[in-house]
Amino acid sequence: MMSTMPWNRTPSRAEELAGTDDQLSMIPAWSVVLAIAVFAGVQYLFHGVMPHHKHEMLPMRLLMGYSWGTAFASYVLLVGYVSRDVKRRKMPAALWMLIVVLLPGGIGAVVYFILRQPILRACPNCRTEIAASYHFCPQCQFQLAPVCGQCFRGVQITDVYCTQCGHDLAEDHAPARLRAYSD
Ligand SMILES: [Zn+2]
Ligand SMILES: [Zn+2]
């Protein structure tokens, strides 16, 4: 009961990181179903539709059907992943789905993974959308990651001195590691 109270729903940093790393949950059910259908369809194409010759070896045909089926099914899963990924990055979904589906040989997917925007998340303080690389919220100055009090570059919470300028992190008015991790 305690953990389901709505005012306790601000996710911890560890939860947020785990959420963004959970790539399997990014593949929607429709693309899994479609991938299975595509795989089955390719098997049917190789064994049911394409003309058979007596001299043709069955193991070869099985292998070809399996590899083409796997390749097409994987691409369907990839398209499903992109369809969800594109939304959490606030990129134009329809345009990118067209690019990924229509450009031949998976080039669209390669272009997508090169050009995609960083994942946005909400500032814990004011809910402004911010990129994962920000140290401070651009709207309310909320500290999103531990930084050095002298050069304001990112530091690890376990650091005693800044790795960039050598500043003693314990000297900061309120140490960065305490400010960033006090909820
Ligand atoms: Zn903010
Ligand atoms: Zn520093």
Side-chain angles (χ1 to χ4, degrees), residues 113-124:
F113 283 107
I114 291 173
L115 293 182
R116 67 180 182 176
Q117 302 293 312
I119 297 173
L120 299 175
R121 58 196 177 102
C123 168

Side-chain angles (χ1 to χ4, degrees), residues 122-130 136-144:
C123 168
N125 189 42
C126 71
R127 315 311 294 172
T128 299
E129 279 174 349
I130 47 176
F136 291 93
C137 172
Q139 294 301 321
C140 72
Q141 210 196 10
F142 185 85
Q143 187 165 11
L144 303 157

Side-chain angles (χ1 to χ4, degrees), residues 6-177:
W7 52 87
N8 278 342
R9 277 318 302 149
T10 312
S12 73
R13 190 172 174 79
E15 268 179 350
E16 276 179 19
L17 288 177
T20 52
D21 283 350
D22 191 6
Q23 303 286 11
L24 271 184
S25 69
M26 290 293 295
I27 297 176
W30 63 260
S31 80
V32 176
V33 174
L34 192 60
I36 294 169
V38 164
F39 185 84
V42 170
Q43 305 314 305
Y44 176 69
L45 204 68
F46 267 86
H47 302 295
V49 177
M50 273 166 61
H52 292 176
H53 305 291
K54 278 228 175 74
H55 62 267
E56 195 181 32
M57 289 186 298
L58 179 66
M60 197 61 194
R61 204 164 68 228
L62 281 173
L63 189 68
M64 290 293 283
Y66 181 79
S67 43
W68 279 108
T70 308
F72 281 114
S74 306
Y75 201 70
V76 170
L77 291 178
L78 186 68
V79 169
Y81 174 84
V82 168
S83 76
R84 281 205 173 159
D85 193 55
V86 77
K87 280 177 198 148
R88 68 174 176 174
R89 291 166 197 271
K90 301 284 188 293
M91 294 161 68
L95 173 71
W96 277 105
M97 289 304 286
L98 266 181
I99 291 172
V100 171
V101 172
L102 292 187
L103 283 192
I107 293 174
V110 173
V111 171
Y112 174 77
F113 283 107
I114 291 173
L115 293 182
R116 67 180 182 176
Q117 302 293 312
I119 297 173
L120 299 175
R121 58 196 177 102
C123 168
N125 189 42
C126 71
R127 315 311 294 172
T128 299
E129 279 174 349
I130 47 176
S133 59
Y134 291 1
H135 289 165
F136 291 93
C137 172
Q139 294 301 321
C140 72
Q141 210 196 10
F142 185 85
Q143 187 165 11
L144 303 157
V147 293
C148 168
Q150 180 164 297
C151 71
F152 293 101
R153 292 189 178 102
V155 294
Q156 301 290 316
I157 48 166
T158 50
D159 291 350
V160 181
Y161 298 100
C162 174
T163 57
Q164 302 295 321
C165 72
H167 178 61
D168 185 349
L169 297 174
E171 274 179 19
D172 294 347
H173 249 332
R177 48 201 154 161

